[in-house]
């Protein structure tokens, strides 16, 4: 089996993902995808006719985000028509999964040059044609009876309650994310991967992440009201079923404490990211210098009702596949969908917190669903290089109770 090498990685800034508020909200999703595809081609003087495939993650594939965004974004970026594209959905895990699929294609010898990444325009949510995801659909009664699946925010609060994790501990994760992101931005740690986004008239739309609030304090967060209590008790159907009731079907004695709010949950964001991957023989023949190799990938399913707990078993599985231990990993990226995900991850694995999300995470920077995983792989690669370290591990929870994971080794 051959190796899969990462040649380059780039991302857009994360824009505020609310219509009329974010600098990227007026863009079409394929234009945002085209921005990173164009950048990855220009940065590497790429003959786009040689690209075997473009594998793209997009979670909400309805409305403007429907219609195979990978192919449309490539055409919009000016790629040769021979560069095909496919778009996949593993909810929040889509960006990692796109890279994992690309790696599998290269390692099997079926392809030589692949681009992987993702786009999510959360500012399009609520537009005509964009409805609730099927796992939240109150009309899907057959599946709901077998696997009740509430809103992710309710899941986060349920997990915090079950684990006895306090709001104070979760707020500390939120402040840490903001502080670290602020430091990373001030020191230019994202500069290598960040590509500006321009409007069609050539004027600059955005060249920095819009969401971070690096001066956020624990006192600031203590003033925020829980975000999901009203949602958890709002009837979903004529029978009065609530998200809270769906959790109680599996945990009937659980008295959910509502401890998540805007300051310790991921920010709603627009963004796109792309990674260029190649087989070693192809890379050598075309003068491409590798930055990292993909060591192992894995996927795991867990409780659909709690939904957010799969990153820990995914981490253990990918480590076993790689023949490595936690002690071998220099840097970890666990997506901060909610503070409890990162806090439980660090507690369960007894990790050194100075190795986890060292440049902040989605609480500070935002979480453009289908793009985030690809962004995190680029982030950990940049940081491995900055610190002169070897191994990085990236994982994240995904709706339906799943988690993909990947380990990369800096070359």
């Amino acid at each position: 089996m051959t190796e899969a090498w990462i040649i380059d990685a780039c991302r857009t800034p994360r824009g505020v993902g609310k219509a009329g508020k974010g600098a990227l909200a007026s863009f079409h999703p394929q234009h945002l995808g085209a921005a990173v595809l164009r950048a990855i081609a220009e940065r590497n003087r790429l003959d786009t006719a040689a690209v075997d495939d473009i594998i793209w993650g997009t979670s909400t594939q309805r409305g403007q985000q429907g219609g195979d965004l990978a192919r449309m974004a490539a055409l919009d970026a000016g790629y040769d028509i021979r560069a095909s594209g496919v778009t996949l959905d593993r909810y929040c895990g889509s960006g990692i999964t796109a890279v994992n699929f690309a790696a599998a294609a290269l390692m099997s010898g079926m392809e030589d040059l692949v681009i992987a990444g993702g786009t999510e325009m959360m500012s399009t949510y609520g537009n005509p044609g964009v409805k609730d995801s099927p796992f939240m659909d109150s009309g899907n009664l057959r599946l709901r009876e077998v696997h009740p699946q509430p809103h992710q925010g309710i899941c986060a609060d349920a997990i915090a309650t079950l684990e006895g994790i306090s709001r104070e501990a979760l707020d500390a994760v939120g402040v840490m994310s903001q502080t670290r992101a602020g430091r990373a931005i001030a020191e230019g740690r994202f500069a290598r991967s960040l590509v500006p986004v321009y409007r069609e008239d050539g004027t600059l739309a955005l060249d920095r992440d819009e969401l971070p609030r690096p001066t956020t304090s624990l006192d600031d967060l203590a003033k925020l009201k829980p975000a999901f209590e009203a949602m958890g008790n709002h009837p979903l159907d004529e029978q009065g079923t609530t998200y809270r009731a769906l959790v109680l079907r599996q945990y009937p004695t659980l008295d959910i404490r509502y401890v998540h709010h805007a300051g310790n949950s991921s920010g709603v964001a627009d963004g796109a990211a792309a990674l260029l991957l190649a087989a070693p023989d192809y890379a050598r023949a075309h003068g491409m210098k590798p930055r990292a190799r993909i060591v192992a990938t894995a996927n795991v399913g867990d409780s659909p009702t709690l939904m957010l707990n799969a990153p820990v078993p995914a981490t253990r599985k990918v480590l076993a596949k790689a023949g490595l231990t936690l002690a071998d990993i220099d840097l970890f990226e666990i997506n901060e969908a909610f503070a409890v995900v990162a806090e439980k991850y660090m507690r369960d694995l007894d990790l050194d917190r100075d190795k986890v999300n060292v440049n902040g995470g989605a609480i500070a920077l935002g979480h453009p669903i289908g793009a985030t995983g690809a962004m995190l792989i680029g982030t950990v690669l940049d940081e491995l290089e900055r610190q002169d370290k070897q191994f990085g591990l990236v994982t994240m929870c995904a709706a339906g109770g799943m988690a993909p994971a990947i380990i990369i080794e800096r070359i």
Side-chain angles (χ1 to χ4, degrees):
M1 184 182 295
T2 189
E3 293 184 339
W5 283 357
I6 299 176
I7 307 300
D8 197 11
C10 69
R11 70 171 178 91
T12 68
R14 294 171 174 92
V16 172
K18 296 181 181 179
K21 293 186 177 181
L24 302 179
S26 63
F27 281 69
H28 191 286
Q30 74 186 37
H31 298 167
L32 207 59
V36 290
L37 287 174
R38 190 178 300 113
I40 211 83
E42 291 174 353
R43 285 157 57 124
N44 296 278
R45 299 178 181 177
L46 199 61
D47 174 8
T48 59
V51 175
D52 290 310
D53 207 3
I54 299 163
I55 305 176
W56 217 242
T58 302
S59 183
T60 301
Q61 294 183 31
R62 296 179 294 282
Q64 287 186 334
Q65 295 197 151
D68 192 357
L69 197 54
R71 174 62 169 174
M72 297 305 115
L75 293 174
D76 191 56
Y79 275 43
D80 189 284
I81 61 171
R82 286 168 286 185
S84 63
V86 63
T87 304
L88 59 85
D89 175 13
R90 199 194 294 275
Y91 301 115
C92 298
S94 300
I96 293 179
T97 298
V99 176
N100 289 358
F101 282 10
L106 294 168
M107 295 169 77
S108 69
M110 293 295 101
E111 293 176 343
D112 297 311
L113 186 67
V114 184
I115 297 173
T119 301
E120 201 80 30
M121 294 283 293
M122 297 187 75
S123 56
T124 69
Y125 289 18
N127 289 353
V130 182
K131 299 179 181 180
D132 282 346
S133 298
F135 68 90
M136 294 186 193
D137 186 355
S138 59
N140 193 356
L141 298 179
R142 184 174 65 186
L143 178 59
R144 199 171 77 179
E145 287 301 314
V146 180
H147 293 295
Q149 299 175 68
H151 185 277
Q152 294 100 319
I154 312 303
C155 297
D157 286 333
I159 293 168
T161 304
L162 287 165
E163 297 290 329
I165 298 175
S166 68
R167 170 166 169 163
E168 290 74 19
L170 300 176
D171 284 356
V173 173
V175 170
M176 180 174 67
S177 182
Q178 295 284 1
T179 301
R180 289 180 173 183
R183 179 184 63 194
I185 291 168
E187 295 180 1
R189 297 187 187 182
F190 300 140
R192 179 166 186 175
S193 290
L194 202 62
V195 297
V197 178
Y198 294 93
R199 302 180 186 90
E200 290 192 50
D201 63 4
T203 59
L204 179 67
L206 190 63
D207 63 357
R208 60 176 179 81
D209 293 308
E210 279 193 301
L211 285 87
R213 298 181 178 181
T215 61
T216 298
S217 69
L218 288 173
D219 287 341
D220 294 331
L221 298 191
K223 298 172 185 176
L224 299 179
K225 294 181 179 180
F228 302 108
E229 185 169 7
M231 178 186 291
N233 293 295
H234 180 73
L236 299 171
D237 53 31
E238 294 179 357
Q239 290 71 43
T241 305
T242 64
Y243 285 132
R244 178 176 177 273
L246 294 178
V247 174
L248 295 182
R249 289 185 187 178
Q250 299 288 339
Y251 300 91
T253 64
L254 186 65
D255 183 15
I256 300 175
R257 294 182 299 106
Y258 295 95
V259 289
H260 285 86
H261 49 75
N264 60 23
S265 304
S266 57
V268 175
D270 296 334
L275 286 87
L276 177 63
L277 298 97
D281 287 347
Y282 184 93
R284 293 188 189 102
H286 292 82
M288 294 178 171
K289 183 179 179 182
R291 296 176 62 191
R293 73 178 183 96
I294 294 175
V295 179
T297 69
N299 299 291
V300 166
D302 202 89
S303 165
T305 300
L306 293 179
M307 203 174 295
L308 312 177
N309 278 343
V312 169
T315 294
R316 290 179 172 139
K317 183 175 181 179
V318 77
L319 285 168
K321 284 179 172 289
L324 299 172
T325 68
L326 287 169
D328 294 315
I329 304 301
D330 298 294
L331 295 170
F332 296 84
E333 287 287 334
I334 168 68
N335 186 44
E336 296 170 351
F338 301 92
V340 74
V341 177
E343 180 66 18
K344 177 175 165 56
Y345 186 81
M346 291 184 285
R347 290 188 185 196
D348 285 2
L349 297 175
D350 193 24
L351 297 179
D352 179 349
R353 292 175 184 246
D354 289 336
K355 294 183 176 182
V356 183
N357 296 1
V358 299
N359 292 323
I363 292 173
L365 293 161
H367 177 23
I369 308 294
T372 302
M375 289 181 170
L376 295 183
I377 296 169
T379 296
V380 82
L381 174 55
D382 286 345
E383 190 62 17
L384 287 171
E385 291 174 340
R386 192 188 73 83
Q387 292 193 28
D388 192 22
K389 300 292 186 180
Q390 184 176 9
F391 290 110
L393 189 153
V394 183
T395 188
M396 60 201 308
C397 59
M402 299 180 288
I406 184 171
I407 295 174
I408 67 170
E409 181 182 17
R410 183 175 67 89
I411 297 177

